[in-house]
Amino acid sequence: MNSPIRQQDMCDQKPWLTPWEQVSHLKSKGVRFRYMSEAEAVEYLTKNNNYFRLRSYRTGFSKVSDGKRKGEYVNLDFKMLVDLSIIDMLLRNEMISLTLDIEHFCKVDLLGRIEQHAEDGYEIVQDYLSEQDTFDSKGNVTNWVKKEISRCESSAYSAGILAKYSGFNVPVWAFLEVITFGAFNSFILFCAKRFDDDELRDRFYLLRAAKDLRNACAHNSCILNGLASGENARRANNGVMKALSKIDGVGSYQRKARMSNERIRQIVTTLYLHKEVSSKGVIKHKAQSLSKFISRANRNINYYKGAEVITSSFSFLSKVIGAWYLCDAEDMPSCDS
């Protein structure tokens, strides 16, 4: 039986707004319509984007603290919200591509390490799977990785790989082809302990940031609606911070402030890891698309005068990508110019 709706719950519910009402509501909050008319905004909200997602980018703008406009946004035009949503989409596309490259090259690298240690390809998987055994509330053995593998047995893309093997007696080269990114990272940590490999341990933590970012991108979550400095639950990797310290124009304060934001930390960590593990050809290819992304991100940067969170974040990412990718790419402008 459904619980009765409390009076307080009814008061907390937001009304459904038509596109015209959405525009009116934004106007009441100080949003202007100079670069895009109200009629154009209504059409955009009707055909192109979700109001809830679009308005979330307002968090990058400050509010008037007193006077008649108290509580309204400062220098926020509707076109800026549209611009940020487009840049965000392009950023998600770039990041998910980077994480796919990272997963591929880390798997190639791990197979090489396993071979160097003269491991039996079947035994190492069995040892890992055994380590994942736990007991449920009824005392039955359960194993989350085996459940993932079982689901793959009905997949059009992985069923053929698993059909060659009985049960979970899968060799590592096939195992890596069917497990999720999360299971792969767990396996990385298992191998790091097995081989007493500090580099693999470090990679586990770097991959965790890349995995979190890929999950957000795959679920089409907004990224640029939460760029303010804060306190991270996870500290930035020492190798990443050291690499950042070598970039001209990125001082200690900027590094600490930007990397204290969890989203920026994940993006920068992903860029760093991609540069570390990918082939030169892949890095050169990504440099071209990242260059286009940076150009698009900064195309309307004059819109955001006064929105320090946005301008400083864009400036920081531009410097990082420029130093780590564009300086090595042929046919790119000199990073010293």
Side-chain angles (χ1 to χ4, degrees):
M1 182 176 178
N2 293 330
S3 301
I5 299 176
R6 298 180 305 168
Q7 186 67 33
Q8 182 62 43
D9 292 335
M10 294 179 66
C11 294
D12 291 340
Q13 291 179 356
K14 303 294 184 181
W16 184 287
L17 302 178
T18 67
W20 276 110
E21 290 171 334
Q22 291 165 6
V23 167
S24 295
H25 180 72
L26 289 171
K27 285 180 65 178
S28 72
K29 298 297 183 180
V31 178
R32 301 179 310 215
F33 293 85
R34 294 178 182 174
Y35 301 129
M36 180 179 282
S37 70
E38 293 179 32
E40 290 173 325
V42 167
E43 183 176 8
Y44 182 84
L45 289 167
T46 302
K47 299 179 179 179
N48 294 87
N49 212 332
N50 176 288
Y51 171 68
F52 177 77
R53 288 175 63 87
L54 195 69
R55 70 191 289 268
S56 71
Y57 296 106
R58 75 195 188 287
T59 57
F61 299 85
S62 58
K63 293 182 178 181
V64 179
S65 57
D66 52 35
K68 293 182 179 180
R69 293 192 60 222
K70 182 178 180 179
E72 295 183 5
Y73 289 99
V74 177
N75 190 34
L76 174 53
D77 192 275
F78 183 82
K79 183 65 178 290
M80 299 176 189
L81 301 177
V82 174
D83 189 55
L84 287 173
S85 72
I86 294 171
I87 297 170
D88 204 343
M89 175 195 68
L90 296 173
L91 176 61
R92 290 194 299 273
N93 291 343
E94 290 298 323
M95 291 300 110
I96 201 165
S97 176
L98 289 175
T99 60
L100 289 172
D101 290 341
I102 287 170
E103 183 178 13
H104 168 74
F105 284 105
C106 284
K107 286 180 177 179
V108 171
D109 176 78
L110 184 60
L111 286 173
R113 291 172 191 256
I114 291 171
E115 183 179 359
Q116 288 172 7
H117 285 273
E119 287 280 355
D120 181 287
Y122 289 83
E123 182 180 315
I124 192 171
V125 173
Q126 292 308 306
D127 290 348
Y128 168 71
L129 290 176
S130 295
E131 194 174 277
Q132 309 312 309
D133 284 344
T134 58
F135 294 93
D136 61 20
S137 58
K138 296 181 180 179
N140 299 317
V141 176
T142 183
N143 188 302
W144 68 279
V145 182
K146 287 183 178 179
K147 288 180 180 178
E148 285 191 359
I149 295 173
S150 295
R151 285 194 290 269
C152 292
E153 291 175 349
S154 60
S155 167
Y157 303 98
S158 53
I161 298 173
L162 294 173
K164 301 174 184 178
Y165 310 101
S166 59
F168 298 103
N169 190 33
V170 183
V172 66
W173 51 87
F175 175 70
L176 293 183
E177 290 299 311
V178 300
I179 57 175
T180 63
F181 200 167
F184 170 61
N185 204 23
S186 170
F187 186 59
I188 283 270
L189 184 59
F190 169 83
C191 291
K193 294 175 181 177
R194 190 179 182 99
F195 305 151
D196 192 22
D197 188 326
D198 289 336
E199 186 178 14
L200 271 186
R201 285 192 183 92
D202 192 53
R203 184 162 295 175
F204 163 78
Y205 293 105
L206 294 169
L207 279 169
R208 189 163 61 175
K211 177 182 71 69
D212 290 345
L213 180 60
R214 186 164 88 169
N215 287 345
C217 293
H219 288 92
N220 209 29
S221 300
C222 298
I223 297 175
L224 299 179
N225 60 349
L227 298 179
S229 301
E231 291 295 329
N232 267 335
R234 296 172 181 170
R235 193 177 66 176
N237 176 271
N238 289 334
V240 176
M241 294 301 286
K242 185 177 180 179
L244 289 174
S245 70
K246 298 178 181 179
I247 299 177
D248 291 339
V250 177
S252 175
Y253 174 79
Q254 188 180 25
R255 289 197 304 273
K256 293 178 181 178
R258 292 299 95 221
M259 293 296 282
S260 71
N261 178 274
E262 179 63 15
R263 302 179 188 204
I264 295 293
R265 184 189 72 84
Q266 291 178 10
I267 292 169
V268 172
T269 301
T270 297
L271 289 165
Y272 171 84
L273 183 55
H274 184 271
K275 185 73 185 297
E276 288 292 303
V277 303
S278 299
S279 68
K280 291 182 179 180
V282 166
I283 292 171
K284 180 179 178 181
H285 173 73
K286 289 310 302 178
Q288 295 172 353
S289 63
L290 285 169
S291 176
K292 291 178 181 178
F293 165 74
I294 288 300
S295 295
R296 176 60 186 85
N298 290 300
R299 179 196 298 173
N300 300 316
I301 197 65
N302 289 333
Y303 283 172
Y304 306 106
K305 290 180 179 179
E308 194 275 336
V309 168
I310 296 172
T311 56
S312 62
S313 296
F314 282 18
S315 173
F316 180 67
L317 291 177
S318 296
K319 290 174 183 176
V320 171
I321 291 173
W324 290 353
Y325 283 84
L326 306 191
C327 286
D328 293 337
E330 296 179 6
D331 301 322
M332 293 290 175
S334 170
C335 292
D336 296 326
S337 60

